[in-house]
Amino acid sequence: SADCSRLQNAWDVSSDDGYWSIDPSIDMLPPSGGIMGNVILIDVNEGVAVSEDATVLDDFSDEVLHFNIDNDSPSLADGKVSSTIDSFGQRINMDWSTGFEAVSSVMMKANVSNEYTLDTSINARTDWIVTMPTAHFHTDPINLANNEVVAPFTSLLDNNKPGCEPYSALLYDREELTPTSPSVPPPAPHPLPPPPIPSFCYAINDISIRRAETTSSTPVGIFASNHPAAGLNQGNHIIPTHIVTPYDNGWIKLLFIQSVVVLDGNSLIYGLPIIGFAAQKYTNANAVPGLLAQYAGIFKHKSQTVITGSPNQGQLSGMNIAKDNTGQVLLYPYYTVRNGLNTLITVVNTSDQVKALKVRFLEGRNGRDVLDFNLYLSAFDVWTAGLVPTSSTSIVGTGFTGQESVKIVTSDTSCTVPVINGHEFLPFAFSGTYDDGLIQDMVRVTEGSFEIIEMAEVRGEDASAATHGVTGVPESCETLNSNWLPPSGKWFSDPTINMGDPDEFVGLYGSVSIIDVAGGVDMSYDATAIIGFSTAIIHTQPGDLLPNLATGNISTTLIEVNDSVLQTTWDSPLNAVTALFMQAQTVNDFVVEPGIGAQTEWVNMFPTKPFYVDPLISGSVMALAPFDQLLEPQFGSCEDHRFKAYNREQASNPSQGPFPIPSPIPPNYSTHPQNCWSVNVADVNAGADNNSIFDSHLFLNDLHIDDSNSSISDLPFTTGWMQMDFVNEIENPGQLIGAGPNGEVHKIFGKPVLGFVVQKYINGNAQPGLLANYATLSMNKNSKKMTVSSAKSEN
């Protein structure tokens, strides 16, 4: 067991073993990273919980940062004085005078966007948390050598008030409407003082979003923070403020005019160093009796980093995963309507252009298309929809009628082709001529993934047709539908008419809430966004398999690995997308504590897998790298992985075998656990506990194990963390090979994967007589393995 007293004595100046009090670098190596963390905020009485992943800084320091607890170090001021900043698809290296300025630079945001909901019928509330982790280094005289505020901050902290930074806000509803200025009233006998200037005055600021008609008795806010967003009046006094909107639902963009000059003197970065999220809370009156059904979810802020001038440091450009989840392609790793669940979807267009989007739903076994349509999303617009269970009425082939299925429902007025409300998912792609040898049942469509891809920007009269008027309704969705009608529809003849090139960078973000209405839980996540995917118009008719993740026209990527950013050119745009998601290892937490009825399930989606393993899509009779196994009838495409779990005290799980070999035996039977589907859902439990959150049919094939790694379905621990390896100790791991800027050989190993963990548990101490179910969702944390060698050494 650990001997903590030895570490305490090492700092004791009076101890014979107080070696750290003399030299704290003894037995220490520089930091190497690899830590992860999250916070779960729980309101016991109200019966809600939300989880927030920690914001991670890579390559913070190469120095030993080991100090006594009485020392203020290490802090965010003790890192490197250089940084790498993402801005519109470029990675830019910059130098700074201090470590805290370097940290601030990677969090600089010229604007911040997120959604809100205030629907009174469900008692909805929304708070935004805006945190400035480095503010005190820039504004507090105790940290400043000459009592001068350090840019981008503009206001010094003093004894009377904190430093306050102004911002402005743009408000929209879900149909792109924005409040208009009222008519100018006649002059008052005594002029009213101007309203306070909205400002952030604290390191942590809580913005309560409120309806205009809110009264003192109306429930507002979620956190009841002591650090509300504030305003400065004429007397420079701080007063609490909030954002007032006339709408029930919508989104808001906050803008900042502050800036900082980069050390090279050739460029400016605009905004403030900000992290944070929007929290939404609402009530379900239709849950089961005796259950307190309060829902809550957290959504990370979306933003833009704006740099002007010509930085003289190195610049890299290419396709990459957007750190703020705003981009050109959105990937949603899981939807489901199983087990009484509904899936709610949003996508937001943050740009001032009308976007032509392809929305495509993919069943989870083999990633076959089960519904796609075109969405024409006007500037600043939001589209929302829900997936709900239904009984199939499909007459395609035989036997599908009456089976479990899905339909999409929406009251949103944004234009879709065809009109999509009430449309059922379809079996065309896995039946008849396109039978892939897997099950012939509509149950396949009840869970899977989906993607939204920008096809083009709409121009001219067609853009006007998609644009909402003052009533919140587009001018003419009928025009857009008729454009596709044969034989005279203009897009049927030429889909490029009134189309402009898609924007690689400024565009879309989205989210999903998986809701158990009866059980009173909400599991929410943000879509993962790709930027720099394509500069070409690919505007196709509804139902067309194009565009897809293989049809970008950019083959160069930017990938962070081992504290650096590698620019790599791959042999196809498809391999470029795959490379972005290649992981050597993915990790996450689990809780299966029986005392609180805890359950955990792990969802992993392989976004490009069908292009490599499905002969109908790949055109190959062999699996293509980085995948090893071709799609097999009945069994799927089963790829080896290694699984290992640890409890919270670092103990690892021993082998729990032997387990029975599945029957029938898969054609490529392995002694390793296997992911066989495009989406895989693993039920993490202890022993014979077979409870399930999703009731998924996309189960992990993990019943046969080797001598050193046990089954994810049979853990000896009730809490801890788990890892899935796609490289370590496995022969011939999957890999892709690309080229560096100077002809270097870049190899990336593993499998392309995107996923999350959900945890659900029960609180018996909520309001008297009421139970409360909690659920949280945490995205995967990953590590990459990528090697670089010269072309000569490879020959």
Side-chain angles (χ1 to χ4, degrees):
S1 61
D3 183 5
C4 296
S5 62
R6 175 179 175 84
L7 306 183
Q8 293 170 341
N9 290 337
W11 283 114
D12 188 347
V13 295
S14 63
S15 171
D16 292 339
D17 293 325
Y19 49 89
W20 280 344
S21 64
I22 300 171
D23 182 0
S25 67
I26 293 174
D27 291 339
M28 290 289 149
L29 293 174
S32 59
I35 58 176
M36 66 177 183
N38 64 10
V39 169
I40 300 178
L41 308 174
I42 301 177
D43 186 332
V44 175
N45 288 330
E46 291 290 306
V48 293
V50 292
S51 61
E52 174 196 4
D53 286 328
T55 297
V56 179
L57 298 177
D58 291 328
D59 197 21
F60 177 72
S61 176
D62 294 330
E63 304 292 331
V64 172
L65 300 175
H66 190 216
F67 299 90
N68 189 289
I69 60 171
D70 295 328
N71 199 311
D72 290 336
S73 292
S75 72
L76 295 182
D78 293 319
K80 293 181 177 179
V81 293
S82 60
S83 64
T84 301
I85 303 170
D86 291 2
S87 178
F88 297 100
Q90 290 189 327
R91 300 281 173 93
I92 303 170
N93 299 321
M94 292 184 172
D95 295 324
W96 303 91
S97 299
T98 63
F100 70 80
E101 289 175 284
V103 172
S104 293
S105 71
V106 300
M107 295 185 287
M108 287 285 284
K109 295 172 174 60
N111 54 66
V112 166
S113 300
N114 220 319
E115 297 178 73
Y116 64 88
T117 180
L118 304 171
D119 192 332
T120 55
S121 67
I122 55 173
N123 193 30
R125 287 170 271 177
T126 300
D127 275 17
W128 284 21
I129 298 298
V130 175
T131 299
M132 300 183 290
T134 56
H136 58 292
F137 294 111
H138 293 261
T139 65
D140 191 340
I142 198 172
N143 296 316
L144 302 172
N146 53 10
N147 271 15
E148 292 184 3
V149 67
V150 177
F153 291 83
T154 59
S155 180
L156 192 68
L157 177 72
D158 63 32
N159 293 328
N160 298 317
K161 66 176 183 64
C164 292
E165 296 299 325
Y167 68 87
S168 57
L170 298 176
L171 281 70
Y172 301 91
D173 74 350
R174 285 181 174 170
E175 308 302 339
E176 77 181 71
L177 293 182
T178 187
T180 57
S181 299
S183 58
V184 179
H190 302 286
L192 297 175
I197 301 171
S199 302
F200 295 136
C201 297
Y202 307 103
I204 301 174
N205 303 270
D206 179 5
I207 307 177
S208 177
I209 315 297
R210 304 188 182 190
R211 281 293 301 263
E213 63 270 21
T214 296
T215 67
S216 58
S217 62
T218 304
V220 294
I222 297 174
F223 297 116
S225 172
N226 289 324
H227 299 99
L232 294 177
N233 62 16
Q234 277 187 313
N236 217 27
H237 298 113
I238 297 174
I239 58 175
T241 63
H242 44 262
I243 293 178
V244 176
T245 173
Y247 309 120
D248 280 343
N249 304 285
W251 67 285
I252 298 170
K253 177 182 284 189
L254 306 183
L255 302 101
F256 314 105
I257 59 172
Q258 297 85 346
S259 64
V260 59
V261 179
V262 182
L263 190 62
D264 61 28
N266 295 324
S267 53
L268 287 173
I269 307 179
Y270 287 88
L272 290 170
I274 286 173
I275 59 175
F277 56 84
Q280 299 178 4
K281 179 181 175 183
Y282 46 100
T283 304
N284 169 32
N286 298 312
V288 297
L291 184 70
L292 180 62
Q294 303 264 33
Y295 303 93
I298 275 182
F299 303 95
K300 182 181 176 182
H301 291 321
K302 289 74 181 176
S303 61
Q304 290 177 336
T305 299
V306 177
I307 302 176
T308 61
S310 302
N312 59 17
Q313 301 291 319
Q315 297 186 45
L316 301 174
S317 62
M319 186 194 306
N320 57 87
I321 298 174
K323 287 189 174 181
D324 70 341
N325 291 336
T326 302
Q328 188 180 19
V329 174
L330 300 181
L331 300 182
Y332 299 76
Y334 191 59
Y335 75 81
T336 184
V337 298
R338 301 194 57 74
N339 212 20
L341 300 172
N342 296 335
T343 298
L344 305 184
I345 301 162
T346 67
V347 57
V348 181
N349 178 12
T350 66
S351 78
D352 60 0
Q353 300 295 315
V354 177
K355 302 282 190 179
L357 309 178
K358 180 71 71 176
V359 182
R360 178 177 293 113
F361 293 88
L362 306 164
E363 54 82 28
R365 285 183 178 262
N366 189 23
R368 291 283 179 92
D369 186 343
V370 290
L371 181 69
D372 78 50
F373 54 91
N374 290 3
L375 168 64
Y376 296 91
L377 198 59
S378 56
F380 310 119
D381 192 17
V382 180
W383 181 73
T384 61
L387 304 180
V388 298
T390 192
S391 294
S392 175
T393 62
S394 174
I395 58 173
V396 177
T398 58
F400 294 117
T401 302
Q403 294 177 347
E404 294 179 67
S405 188
V406 181
K407 68 177 178 181
I408 188 168
V409 294
T410 180
S411 58
D412 197 286
T413 63
S414 300
C415 297
T416 63
V417 182
V419 176
I420 207 66
N421 184 39
H423 207 299
E424 292 181 27
F425 284 16
L426 301 168
F428 289 108
F430 57 81
S431 62
T433 304
Y434 303 107
D435 183 358
D436 56 6
L438 304 181
I439 61 171
Q440 294 290 294
D441 194 301
M442 290 300 290
V443 72
R444 284 181 65 167
V445 310
T446 58
E447 56 184 332
S449 63
F450 62 103
E451 60 198 24
I452 298 178
I453 301 174
E454 181 180 351
M455 298 184 287
E457 290 186 346
V458 189
R459 304 282 191 252
E461 61 187 5
D462 294 311
S464 298
T467 299
H468 296 66
V470 294
T471 61
V473 178
E475 182 177 301
S476 178
C477 291
E478 295 80 6
T479 296
L480 304 183
N481 274 268
S482 65
N483 286 347
W484 284 113
L485 292 177
S488 59
K490 64 183 179 185
W491 286 342
F492 181 79
S493 302
D494 183 357
T496 66
I497 294 173
N498 284 339
M499 291 290 140
D501 294 338
D503 191 318
E504 300 173 65
F505 311 115
V506 180
L508 311 171
Y509 70 81
S511 64
V512 155
S513 291
I514 301 173
I515 296 180
D516 181 347
V517 175
V521 294
D522 179 349
M523 298 159 279
S524 302
Y525 66 86
D526 287 314
T528 296
I530 300 174
I531 57 177
F533 174 75
S534 179
T535 58
I537 297 171
I538 307 182
H539 183 217
T540 62
Q541 64 183 347
D544 198 303
L545 295 179
L546 305 179
N548 57 45
L549 296 183
T551 59
N553 68 347
I554 296 173
S555 299
T556 298
T557 61
L558 298 180
I559 297 175
E560 291 187 16
V561 60
N562 297 331
D563 298 331
S564 63
V565 178
L566 293 178
Q567 184 180 52
T568 309
T569 300
W570 309 93
D571 60 6
S572 70
L574 171 62
N575 280 351
V577 174
T578 298
L580 292 180
F581 294 94
M582 287 280 278
Q583 311 298 347
Q585 182 184 89
T586 185
V587 300
N588 221 315
D589 301 323
F590 69 90
V591 178
V592 288
E593 175 61 55
I596 55 173
Q599 303 164 264
T600 298
E601 295 194 8
W602 200 358
V603 175
N604 284 292
M605 185 266 282
F606 298 83
T608 57
K609 185 176 183 179
F611 296 97
Y612 297 91
V613 305
D614 187 340
L616 181 68
I617 299 174
S618 69
S620 173
V621 296
M622 298 179 61
L624 303 177
F627 290 90
D628 302 313
Q629 302 300 326
L630 196 69
L631 182 73
E632 296 282 352
Q634 186 178 354
F635 299 107
S637 170
C638 296
E639 298 281 338
D640 286 353
H641 69 270
R642 291 272 187 150
F643 170 79
K644 198 149 190 168
Y646 300 83
N647 71 2
R648 289 180 176 173
E649 304 303 331
Q650 81 185 51
S652 62
N653 57 304
S655 173
Q656 302 296 301
F659 284 90
I661 297 173
S663 179
I665 299 175
N668 296 297
Y669 173 72
S670 170
T671 57
H672 300 298
Q674 295 178 321
N675 292 284
C676 296
W677 317 116
S678 289
V679 180
N680 298 266
V681 182
D683 181 11
V684 185
N685 59 43
D689 178 8
N690 292 316
N691 291 335
S692 178
I693 300 172
F694 292 134
D695 185 31
S696 175
H697 285 189
L698 304 172
F699 48 84
L700 192 73
N701 186 4
D702 70 331
L703 293 181
H704 41 287
I705 60 175
D706 61 15
D707 293 334
S708 60
N709 290 265
S710 78
S711 166
I712 195 172
S713 299
D714 200 355
L715 300 180
F717 312 128
T718 59
T719 58
W721 65 280
M722 52 195 174
Q723 68 183 44
M724 195 176 293
D725 293 333
F726 300 104
V727 172
N728 294 346
E729 303 177 50
I730 296 179
E731 295 180 1
N732 302 316
Q735 61 178 282
L736 292 175
I737 300 176
N742 299 310
E744 308 93 336
V745 176
H746 289 187
K747 292 183 180 180
I748 190 166
F749 298 88
K751 293 291 187 289
V753 63
L754 174 65
F756 58 80
V757 154
V758 292
Q759 299 175 4
K760 180 181 177 183
Y761 43 100
I762 301 170
N763 170 30
N765 298 311
Q767 298 177 19
L770 296 177
L771 283 176
N773 289 329
Y774 302 95
T776 62
L777 186 150
S778 180
M779 300 301 290
N780 286 346
K781 290 76 180 173
N782 307 296
S783 62
K784 295 182 179 294
K785 180 180 179 181
M786 196 167 182
T787 62
V788 178
S789 57
S790 68
K792 181 181 294 186
S793 66
E794 291 288 324
N795 292 328

